[in-house]
């Protein structure tokens, strides 16, 4: 499959502190990538950097973000405006971030469509109702004539998904779209996101702290810790044969049906301002060695379609990383 998005050696920082550090990955057409990690690891900063939704205090220090043949980091404001919505869509964690509480849903859809192309309101309404029905929202007319506060949280999230898809973008970036929902509604929203790929062939990058969600939805998984992707590869390989201690602890923290108490990650993550020279996870790692305190290993190929930055645990030699070139 053809590469749709290529992030190459990207580092993004605030002031003098790097939050996203030397990250590389690709998303192919029709592929779903799950980026997973605990709160504060830099997942949302990564998403904002890809969309260039960054303020004046955020600096892209190095690297490039290729969407097709376009380097997003070098686009003008007008070029970015043309990309967002038409070719790049976003689903925020809180629908309140994308829905105006003072305007009916229908006006927000029409405004989004008319900002990118000439379309009559009647034609727009027809398309919107069809899209809502595709997402299992059968009462489209009532929804369009409602204000966001008249709809449930799960309904608003579905509306936000439809709003992101209204121009049928090639890539959807989803920032923890299920975390504010109860378990039943989470499952429904995940099914609807999967349906976007089935119906429209949409590529998706899903940011979440929920390993269960990425296990259900993703083709590839990137495990993120302290601003770096510490393990990356095909979903089945990551879930069945994790080679980084952080990935192992995330999987151990998932509740099981056998009734055993899940094991959490001990300790607290270091502040980005307090990062030391060695592996940033070494202070919380059960497998930490002396070399881990002194050296930050580059992410390296373990086998085909599987990369890790924990060289001592994986047993591979610390050759030059093939990750950024072949991922």
């Amino acid at each position: 499959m053809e590469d749709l998005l290529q992030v190459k050696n990207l580092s993004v920082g605030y002031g003098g502190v790097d939050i996203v550090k030397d990250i590389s990955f690709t998303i192919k057409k029709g592929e779903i990538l799950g980026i997973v990690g605990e709160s504060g690891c830099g997942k949302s900063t990564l998403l904002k950097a890809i969309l260039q939704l960054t303020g004046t205090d955020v600096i892209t220090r190095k690297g490039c973000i290729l969407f097709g043949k376009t380097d997003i980091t070098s686009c003008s404001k007008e070029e970015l405006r043309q990309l967002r919505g038409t070719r790049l869509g976003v689903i925020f964690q809180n629908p309140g971030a994308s829905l105006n509480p003072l305007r009916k849903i229908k006006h927000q859809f029409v405004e989004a469509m008319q900002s990118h192309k000439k379309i009559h309101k009647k034609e727009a309404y027809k398309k919107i109702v069809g899209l809502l029905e595709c997402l299992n929202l059968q009462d489209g007319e009532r929804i369009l004539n409602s204000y966001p506060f008249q709809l449930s949280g799960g309904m608003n999230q579905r509306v936000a998904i439809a709003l992101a898809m209204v121009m049928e973008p090639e890539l959807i970036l989803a920032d923890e779209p299920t975390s504010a929902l109860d378990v039943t509604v989470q499952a429904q929203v995940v099914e609807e996101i999967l349906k976007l790929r089935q119906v429209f062939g949409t590529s998706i990058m899903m940011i979440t702290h929920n390993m269960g969600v990425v296990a259900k939805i993703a083709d590839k998984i990137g495990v993120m810790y302290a601003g770096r992707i510490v393990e990356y590869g095909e979903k089945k390989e990551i879930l069945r044969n994790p080679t980084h201690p952080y990935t192992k602890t995330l999987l151990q923290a998932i509740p099981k049906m056998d009734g055993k108490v899940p094991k959490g990650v001990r300790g607290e993550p270091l502040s980005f301002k307090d990062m030391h020279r060695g592996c940033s996870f070494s202070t919380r790692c059960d497998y930490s060695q002396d070399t881990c305190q002194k050296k930050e290993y580059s992410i390296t190929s373990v086998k085909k379609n599987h990369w890790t930055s924990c060289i001592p645990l994986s047993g591979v030699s610390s050759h030059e990383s093939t990750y950024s070139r072949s991922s």
Side-chain angles (χ1 to χ4, degrees):
M1 289 186 290
E2 182 182 347
D3 290 340
L4 181 63
L5 179 73
Q6 299 178 68
V7 175
K8 297 183 177 181
N9 306 112
L10 181 69
S11 294
V12 178
Y14 298 86
V17 180
D18 281 350
I19 304 299
V20 171
K21 304 173 183 178
D22 199 26
I23 280 182
S24 299
F25 61 84
T26 62
I27 300 177
K28 298 183 182 297
K29 288 188 176 181
E31 187 174 64
I32 300 178
L33 170 66
I35 301 291
V36 63
E38 62 192 309
S39 297
C41 70
K43 304 187 301 296
S44 293
T45 299
L46 172 61
L47 181 143
K48 291 175 183 178
I50 293 172
L51 284 167
Q52 293 293 286
L53 293 178
T54 49
T56 55
D57 58 335
V58 179
I59 302 171
T60 300
R61 301 190 188 282
K62 70 172 185 176
C64 64
I65 305 166
L66 295 177
F67 183 62
K69 296 182 179 180
T70 302
D71 185 352
I72 294 177
T73 60
S74 64
C75 285
S76 66
K77 289 184 178 180
E78 178 58 26
E79 288 171 333
L80 287 171
R81 193 189 75 81
Q82 293 297 328
L83 277 176
R84 297 175 190 144
T86 55
R87 299 185 64 199
L88 282 170
V90 60
I91 305 169
F92 292 105
Q93 177 179 358
N94 179 8
S98 53
L99 299 176
N100 187 333
L102 302 179
R103 302 188 68 195
K104 289 184 176 180
I105 298 295
K106 63 181 180 182
H107 298 311
Q108 301 185 54
F109 273 93
V110 172
E111 181 181 34
M113 296 176 76
Q114 290 184 337
S115 67
H116 293 290
K117 70 175 184 179
K118 293 181 179 180
I119 186 171
H120 193 275
K121 286 185 178 181
K122 288 185 177 180
E123 183 183 350
Y125 289 151
K126 184 177 179 181
K127 180 174 181 178
I128 296 163
V129 170
L131 181 57
L132 292 176
E133 289 177 351
C134 179
L135 293 173
N136 296 321
L137 298 175
Q138 302 301 324
D139 196 2
E141 291 292 342
R142 181 187 68 82
I143 293 169
L144 290 177
N145 284 289
S146 298
Y147 292 94
F149 64 82
Q150 294 176 309
L151 303 174
S152 68
M155 190 72 76
N156 272 320
Q157 192 60 280
R158 290 184 181 92
V159 169
I161 293 171
L163 188 60
M165 278 302 303
V166 72
M167 297 302 295
E168 299 183 17
E170 299 165 65
L171 174 65
I172 288 285
L173 304 176
D175 188 4
E176 302 198 39
T178 64
S179 63
L181 308 174
D182 63 54
V183 175
T184 303
V185 179
Q186 277 187 20
Q188 294 169 353
V189 169
V190 166
E191 290 296 336
E192 285 154 14
I193 291 174
L194 283 170
K195 197 170 183 179
L196 297 180
R197 174 170 63 177
Q198 177 185 345
V199 176
F200 301 100
T202 311
S203 299
I204 299 167
M205 186 177 100
M206 166 79 82
I207 284 179
T208 183
H209 57 261
N210 190 324
M211 290 295 285
V213 170
V214 293
K216 172 69 175 179
I217 201 171
D219 300 308
K220 289 182 179 177
I221 295 176
V223 180
M224 196 167 176
Y225 184 81
R228 298 182 184 274
I229 289 183
V230 296
E231 189 159 8
Y232 177 85
E234 299 288 346
K235 174 178 68 177
K236 290 182 179 179
E237 181 64 23
I238 298 295
L239 296 181
R240 293 176 181 176
N241 302 300
T243 58
H244 196 281
Y246 182 58
T247 310
K248 290 177 179 287
T249 54
L250 287 180
L251 292 171
Q252 289 170 355
I254 300 173
K256 305 294 193 301
M257 295 297 291
D258 58 13
K260 292 182 180 179
V261 177
K263 182 181 178 182
V265 186
R266 65 180 176 87
E268 297 290 334
L270 294 173
S271 165
F272 281 100
K273 293 181 180 180
D274 299 330
M275 294 298 178
H276 56 80
R277 180 182 175 186
C279 172
S280 54
F281 189 63
S282 61
T283 58
R284 308 172 75 187
C285 180
D286 294 332
Y287 306 91
S288 181
Q289 303 176 13
D290 289 342
T291 54
C292 302
Q293 311 293 329
K294 303 173 183 177
K295 183 175 182 179
E296 180 84 64
Y297 290 99
S298 298
I299 193 162
T300 303
S301 177
V302 178
K303 59 176 68 173
K304 184 179 180 181
N305 298 321
H306 191 173
W307 294 261
T308 186
S309 63
C310 184
I311 303 305
L313 187 61
S314 67
V316 301
S317 59
S318 53
H319 295 156
E320 178 187 357
S321 172
T322 59
Y323 168 68
S324 61
R325 294 195 297 270
S326 62
S327 63

